[in-house]
Amino acid sequence: MPANKTGPSGKRKGRRARLLVFAVVLLLVAGFGYGTYWSLSTVRASFPETTGSVKLDGLSGPVQVKRDGHGIPQVYADTEEDLFRAQGFVQAQDRFWEMDVRRHMTAGRLSEMFGKGQVETDAFLRTMGWRKVAQQEYDHKLSPQTKKNLRSYSAGVNAYLKDHKGSDLSVEYAALGFTTDYTPQKWTPVDSVAWLKAMAWDLRGNMQDEIDRALMTSRLTPQQIEELYPQYPYDRNQPIVGGGAVNRATKEFDPEATAPRNAAAGTAGAEAARGARTQLSSLSRNLKDVPALLGPSGDGIGSNSWVVSGKHTATGKPLLANDPHLAPQMPSLWYQMGLHCRNVSASCRYDVSGYTFSGMPGVVIGHNKDIAWGFTNLGADVSDLYLEKVTSDGYLSDGRRRPFKVRRETIKVANGPDREITVRSTGNGPIVSDRNEELGKVGRQAPVRDAAPDRGSGYAVSLRWTALEPGRTMDAVFELNAAKDFDGFRAAARDFAVPSQNLIYADTRGHIGYQAPGRIPVRGKGNGRYPAPGWDSDYRWTGYVPQSAMPWEKDPKRGYVVTANQAVVDGRKYPYLLTEDWGYGARSQRINDLIQSKIKDSGKISTDDMQTIQQDSNSEIAELLTPLLLKIDVKDPYVREAQKLLEGWDYTQDPDSAAAAYFNAVWRNTLKLAFGNKLPKELRVEGQCLRVRPADDTGPAEDLNGNARLVRECGEREAESAQPDGGDRWYEVVRSILDDQDNTWWKTSGTVNNPGDRNRDELLAHAMKDARWELTAELGKDTDTWSWGRLHQLTLRNQTFGVEGPGFLQSVFNRGPWSLGGGQEAVNATGWNAAGGYDVVWVPSMRMVVNLGNLDKSRWINLTGASGHAYNAHYADQTDKWAKGELLPWAFSEEKVQKGTEDTLALTP
């Protein structure tokens, strides 16, 4: 039977695909030139074979790959070896370019593909040593069965590579071939394991907060900094686990126990942090160059998941929802897939479907025939920065000079000479600040007190991070895929070392539950809020929170579990420090409230209700501020016209809402006036300049003539990660001062002759005026034409040529824009950064609702599509539905899968 390489059957879809391919051919011919003719066959060469029969070396028996109308594959095999071999082959068909770029990123080898522009990024990644740690995990930590599965997966990828080169792999390789002679190497098991380090990096917890707090010391007092990081509102936004306590003797968590309140946590480390501002500024710039494949670092970034017991559902069995909030990219980070042993047994254990990562075997989030599970980021503080007193040959520890641990790395560069770097490590970890020219400038003027060594030429910065220690997270993935009950689920979670995630659970027998996993450090001194003094061993980690002590619960009396990056437990009563930088619970409490309201109104929650909750766009900060904004007496009729938009507004952020557009502009300008303009340049948006007092200036605010002593200072941070970002931490900051009309945060900069805003209402009036003029410039002067979606837009960008390639090439690989509803801390978390603008910078990267009463009635959607080939019919065929909040049917049983199958490929020995 001939192979189908155009996508799903159907004349209409086929014609559309042919037209798209033809247009792309013209673009490539016009754009690349070089006298090269890109034919239709060149562009289509990499499309996967989806029908017919293909021989796959190493199979012990036949394998079927069934694809539905969206190209989503379901794989059927008789052995685990064949199942994972086929998974590797199929993922390589659809996404090998993405897989190849990912493995080069995790190994610090991007320069081999893209040239000298990636050398600094590679050097930073080599310094952290992700690939080295992944190799140690494979060699010494992972189970024999996991290694076997990884080898089978790699063999499937390599079987595909054997018969596909250059443009046959992906059109990106054809484009890359104009500038380099790069050829992909064979896939290895460690390539798959290393991807877990990228996951862990983007979900690493509070490292950016740690840096930001230290950088703030140049302009803010310790008290002011703490005001910008308020305590979690436990009494208003309930934690995931409502109670429970750890038995001090057994170190076991008991969900039914009660615990006394702990002493309040301190803020040790703030003073030492002032000793490395220059270094941390440099480090912060380095961090932004590391590919943030899962999402920009900041408040509000995370995910939603919740599970409702059958006693509250229309089906009588649990319903489970999940939507991780990650960076929008093309193709989506997720890959939908089913892996099915034809006969599930001890020798072939898997019958599972869900979302996985290209380049990694198994399923990360989804369900098997017995259980379902979902993830959100726990946000545990699993990394610490240490100030190190260094010389050319060593570092100081407890008064003694100790030698560095040194290794040398060679970075190969496409079309250029190799680069050599030296990686130095202390007892705390690699010196990440070595990757910046400003190392010699560190700490020359910072006031370091107590037992700190003489600053001399400054301090270096090292990193300790749990992901730099070998673990068994890859084992946990396979254990989850095969788990049959809550005990098996918890056993799998114990091996999920990094990143630390909230895991929710449901099963077909009616149980629901939660488990907090992860390797979380116990500190000697300090609390992880600021960089710690590396020369004092009292600040080192003393161990890890016992897995038995990690919070969990099964079948809670309330009948549901909600996780949305809020506090896991009441930190005032839990004996271990998980973090002091939780999300602040705006989304989680909204989901709690919606579930409780639905139960009260009807008593039963349906699959449709779960989907509706995922689309909720209510703005908590709008509910808080809008009544105050409407009370302000606005004299200017032009601004008053905008103010009227807020009258009668229900605080929902639909894409066609003019009120949502105006309120979010007011919120953005309020934050800028009250806080943003007072932050140091390292936190403000790159290129935005202010006239401010010099940092650390302790002299009089004005000269003898009453004029402010100001200098021009420009921001240095990328827009998507600048501060104030407008997340729910800032909700709490504003809430804490809202009743204090004359709080100093409401006062803008001014002089005796020009006092500026002096109280809350004056600043809010100022923000309303600025927002009116800003939206006039963005959307026009007629408020009737305004809409939130015109401001709040999503563009999906290919992570390579779509970001830095020629303009015409970006237009070929990228898609969009889409006008979206939702917002920063809405349940429909289409995130934007208030300091940087209104563009969408993170999204619900997928959505799913699992029906444990009938798995075939579950629903799912991906951000883009199954294919990574820019001209394939499945490159972005789910995005329009995703943008509207729609979900696709999710078939699981072989009967239902067969009914929805459009293409079947036979893989034969």
Side-chain angles (χ1 to χ4, degrees):
M1 184 181 294
N4 172 13
K5 302 187 71 172
T6 62
S9 307
K11 292 182 180 179
R12 186 174 180 182
K13 288 183 179 178
R15 181 174 180 273
R16 182 181 177 187
R18 286 194 296 273
L19 290 173
L20 178 60
V21 168
F22 182 69
V24 167
V25 170
L26 293 179
L27 278 170
L28 290 171
V29 171
F32 280 116
Y34 300 103
T36 304
Y37 177 69
W38 284 46
S39 66
L40 186 67
S41 61
T42 302
V43 174
R44 293 181 55 181
S46 61
F47 286 11
E49 299 179 16
T50 58
T51 63
S53 179
V54 173
K55 289 192 175 185
L56 180 55
D57 291 343
L59 289 179
S60 62
V63 175
Q64 282 186 312
V65 182
K66 301 180 180 183
R67 293 180 184 258
D68 66 9
H70 287 87
I72 300 169
Q74 304 284 338
V75 180
Y76 292 84
D78 292 319
T79 69
E80 291 180 6
E81 292 91 334
D82 288 352
L83 191 65
F84 294 116
R85 188 179 297 261
Q87 183 181 18
F89 182 88
V90 171
Q91 286 194 347
Q93 282 186 304
D94 284 333
R95 298 278 192 99
F96 185 75
W97 170 262
E98 177 189 20
M99 293 164 59
D100 201 16
V101 172
R102 282 182 178 176
R103 66 167 167 174
H104 279 76
M105 188 272 288
T106 58
R109 293 172 51 202
L110 290 169
S111 301
E112 294 179 22
M113 297 183 75
F114 302 110
K116 62 183 181 180
Q118 297 299 319
V119 168
E120 293 305 317
T121 298
D122 282 346
F124 191 78
L125 293 165
R126 295 281 187 100
T127 297
M128 288 191 288
W130 292 356
R131 173 77 184 202
K132 178 173 65 73
V133 179
Q135 185 71 57
Q136 292 170 348
E137 289 184 355
Y138 183 79
D139 290 343
H140 305 297
K141 290 289 185 179
L142 299 181
S143 72
Q145 185 60 53
T146 293
K147 291 182 181 181
K148 187 176 181 180
N149 294 344
L150 288 164
R151 288 194 296 269
S152 296
Y153 179 89
S154 297
V157 175
N158 291 329
Y160 189 76
L161 291 181
K162 181 180 177 182
D163 298 323
H164 296 79
K165 312 290 182 185
S167 61
D168 288 346
L169 270 178
S170 173
V171 73
E172 285 95 335
Y173 287 104
L176 196 65
F178 284 117
T179 57
T180 74
D181 58 357
Y182 172 77
T183 301
Q185 297 175 341
K186 287 185 176 181
W187 194 265
T188 73
V190 179
D191 292 333
S192 297
V193 177
W195 173 243
L196 293 170
K197 302 306 169 188
M199 272 184 64
W201 175 253
D202 283 2
L203 300 173
R204 62 193 178 275
N206 76 335
M207 184 189 297
Q208 193 63 60
D209 286 330
E210 191 175 334
I211 292 171
D212 288 355
R213 280 190 287 262
L215 293 174
M216 287 179 185
T217 61
S218 68
R219 291 209 170 273
L220 304 177
T221 67
Q223 178 182 343
Q224 288 174 319
I225 295 171
E226 292 306 312
E227 288 171 357
L228 299 185
Y229 291 86
Q231 293 294 309
Y232 184 88
Y234 291 103
D235 298 329
R236 181 168 14 93
N237 295 343
Q238 65 191 68
I240 296 170
V241 178
V246 175
N247 185 304
R248 301 279 181 166
T250 64
K251 307 295 186 186
E252 292 185 355
F253 184 84
D254 180 353
E256 301 299 324
T258 57
R261 185 167 177 146
N262 298 328
T267 59
E271 194 58 49
R274 296 173 66 90
R277 269 203 320 272
T278 306
Q279 193 67 50
L280 290 168
S281 173
S282 304
L283 176 59
S284 183
R285 288 192 291 274
N286 278 3
L287 294 179
K288 76 179 178 60
D289 293 331
V290 178
L293 294 183
L294 303 190
S297 178
D299 300 309
I301 299 170
S303 309
N304 300 325
S305 71
W306 65 95
V307 58
V308 182
S309 165
K311 71 180 182 180
H312 295 313
T313 68
T315 66
K317 289 292 179 71
L319 294 171
L320 184 151
N322 196 188
D323 54 285
H325 307 156
L326 304 171
Q329 61 186 60
M330 183 56 97
S332 165
L333 188 80
W334 297 107
Y335 184 89
Q336 295 155 287
M337 197 171 202
L339 300 170
H340 309 278
C341 292
R342 292 192 179 96
N343 295 296
V344 178
S345 66
S347 61
C348 195
R349 300 172 294 157
Y350 301 101
D351 187 12
V352 62
S353 184
Y355 298 83
T356 187
F357 298 124
S358 302
M360 211 174 91
V363 166
V364 176
I365 294 175
H367 70 83
N368 60 31
K369 66 185 182 65
D370 299 307
I371 77 167
W373 65 94
F375 285 177
T376 63
N377 192 22
L378 191 150
D381 186 355
V382 295
S383 62
D384 278 338
L385 296 171
Y386 285 89
L387 309 185
E388 305 282 3
K389 178 56 183 173
V390 303
T391 63
S392 60
D393 59 352
Y395 64 98
L396 192 66
S397 178
D398 292 336
R400 294 177 54 194
R401 181 67 53 190
R402 301 180 187 274
F404 295 114
K405 184 177 180 180
V406 176
R407 72 177 191 274
R408 290 176 174 78
E409 300 267 355
T410 299
I411 299 173
K412 297 186 179 299
V413 182
N415 299 324
D418 294 350
R419 303 287 183 90
E420 301 286 338
I421 67 167
T422 299
V423 178
R424 303 186 298 171
S425 295
T426 72
N428 295 312
I431 298 181
V432 289
S433 57
D434 272 356
R435 302 279 69 88
N436 193 280
E437 295 177 357
E438 295 188 7
L439 175 62
K441 304 177 184 177
V442 176
R444 290 180 180 171
Q445 54 194 357
V448 182
R449 299 177 184 172
D450 302 326
D454 177 68
R455 60 178 173 260
S457 59
Y459 300 107
V461 180
S462 65
L463 168 66
R464 185 158 190 191
W465 176 35
T466 55
L468 300 185
E469 300 170 21
R472 297 182 56 203
T473 302
M474 197 73 239
D475 282 348
V477 171
F478 292 113
E479 291 164 6
L480 269 177
N481 286 194
K484 298 179 182 298
D485 53 29
F486 190 63
D487 289 342
F489 163 79
R490 290 193 69 204
R494 281 194 291 270
D495 288 333
F496 207 99
V498 291
S500 185
Q501 299 287 285
N502 296 305
L503 270 67
I504 61 168
Y505 169 90
D507 64 39
T508 55
R509 285 175 288 184
H511 299 294
I512 66 172
Y514 166 81
Q515 176 68 57
R519 182 190 292 146
I520 301 174
V522 175
R523 294 165 176 85
K525 285 186 177 181
N527 54 18
R529 288 175 64 79
Y530 290 89
W535 51 83
D536 186 346
S537 62
D538 287 346
Y539 285 84
R540 291 187 180 173
W541 296 356
T542 61
Y544 299 97
V545 177
Q547 285 297 301
S548 61
M550 293 294 286
W552 66 276
E553 59 184 347
K554 181 182 180 182
D555 296 330
K557 292 178 182 178
R558 63 187 178 276
Y560 59 90
V561 178
V562 174
T563 85
N565 318 113
Q566 79 272 40
V568 172
V569 291
D570 190 332
R572 300 169 299 183
K573 300 177 182 179
Y574 188 69
Y576 298 102
L577 175 64
L578 300 181
T579 186
E580 291 193 351
D581 290 303
W582 304 111
Y584 283 79
R587 282 179 290 110
S588 63
Q589 194 56 45
R590 176 65 177 175
I591 296 168
N592 272 295
D593 293 344
L594 289 170
I595 292 173
Q596 291 168 6
S597 175
K598 188 66 182 178
I599 291 172
K600 182 179 179 181
D601 290 346
S602 66
K604 300 298 179 182
I605 293 174
S606 67
T607 305
D608 287 343
D609 293 330
M610 300 285 276
Q611 187 173 339
T612 298
I613 292 173
Q614 287 181 327
Q615 286 299 302
D616 183 78
S617 65
N618 182 77
S619 170
E620 179 185 302
I621 192 62
E623 286 192 54
L624 187 67
L625 281 185
T626 299
L628 289 175
L629 298 176
L630 289 174
K631 289 179 181 178
I632 293 175
D633 184 14
V634 176
K635 303 296 186 185
D636 186 336
Y638 203 57
V639 180
R640 172 62 184 145
E641 184 181 22
Q643 185 189 34
K644 288 180 180 179
L645 294 173
L646 302 179
E647 296 175 354
W649 179 42
D650 63 359
Y651 314 122
T652 59
Q653 301 172 92
D654 296 329
D656 60 354
S657 172
Y662 182 58
F663 173 79
N664 284 318
V666 174
W667 173 235
R668 164 174 151 82
N669 282 280
T670 296
L671 291 172
K672 178 181 177 182
L673 291 168
F675 309 104
N677 291 350
K678 300 166 187 174
L679 296 177
K681 63 181 184 299
E682 293 89 354
L683 275 65
R684 299 200 312 270
V685 175
E686 186 174 13
Q688 290 186 3
C689 302
L690 300 170
R691 291 189 62 79
V692 297
R693 293 185 66 186
D696 291 324
D697 184 357
T698 59
E702 299 168 350
D703 61 24
L704 295 177
N705 297 318
N707 298 314
R709 300 169 62 249
L710 305 176
V711 296
R712 187 170 185 268
E713 187 179 82
C714 298
E716 297 180 350
R717 185 162 292 180
E718 289 188 331
E720 66 179 21
S721 57
Q723 292 293 336
D725 61 21
D728 62 357
R729 171 165 69 88
W730 294 99
Y731 293 10
E732 295 303 314
V733 171
V734 170
R735 191 192 306 271
S736 70
I737 65 172
L738 206 55
D739 293 333
D740 182 2
Q741 278 258 17
D742 297 314
N743 189 283
T744 56
W745 287 112
W746 297 122
K747 302 181 189 304
T748 59
S749 59
T751 68
V752 173
N753 299 322
N754 182 21
D757 301 324
R758 290 304 184 189
N759 63 35
R760 181 196 68 194
D761 287 352
E762 289 174 345
L763 184 139
L764 292 177
H766 190 161
M768 292 171 72
K769 181 182 71 172
D770 287 353
R772 177 30 157 150
W773 286 105
E774 180 184 5
L775 294 199
T776 298
E778 292 281 345
L779 303 177
K781 65 180 181 179
D782 185 356
T783 60
D784 290 339
T785 68
W786 288 4
S787 71
W788 177 225
R790 285 179 62 197
L791 278 179
H792 191 51
Q793 296 199 323
L794 168 69
T795 299
L796 295 171
R797 291 183 172 84
N798 180 284
Q799 293 300 288
T800 51
F801 294 110
V803 177
E804 294 187 355
F808 91 91
L809 198 56
Q810 291 188 38
S811 67
V812 167
F813 287 107
N814 298 344
R815 296 292 181 272
W818 283 266
S819 298
L820 299 183
Q824 171 89 324
E825 289 294 350
V827 180
N828 182 19
T830 53
W832 56 286
N833 184 296
Y838 305 99
D839 287 343
V840 176
V841 295
W842 68 84
V843 294
S845 57
M846 61 80 157
R847 298 186 183 101
M848 73 177 194
V849 179
V850 183
N851 183 331
L852 278 299
N854 185 338
L855 292 169
D856 284 327
K857 291 186 177 180
S858 302
R859 304 172 186 175
W860 62 352
I861 197 80
N862 204 351
L863 175 62
T864 60
S867 180
H869 302 290
Y871 326 119
N872 188 277
H874 305 307
Y875 188 55
D877 60 336
Q878 297 184 50
T879 310
D880 284 344
K881 292 181 179 295
W882 173 92
K884 295 174 185 176
E886 298 177 15
L887 300 177
L888 302 174
W890 183 359
F892 180 68
S893 69
E894 189 168 8
E895 177 186 358
K896 286 292 186 180
V897 167
Q898 182 59 44
K899 187 175 180 180
T901 296
E902 293 201 6
D903 295 322
T904 301
L905 175 68
L907 301 177
T908 60

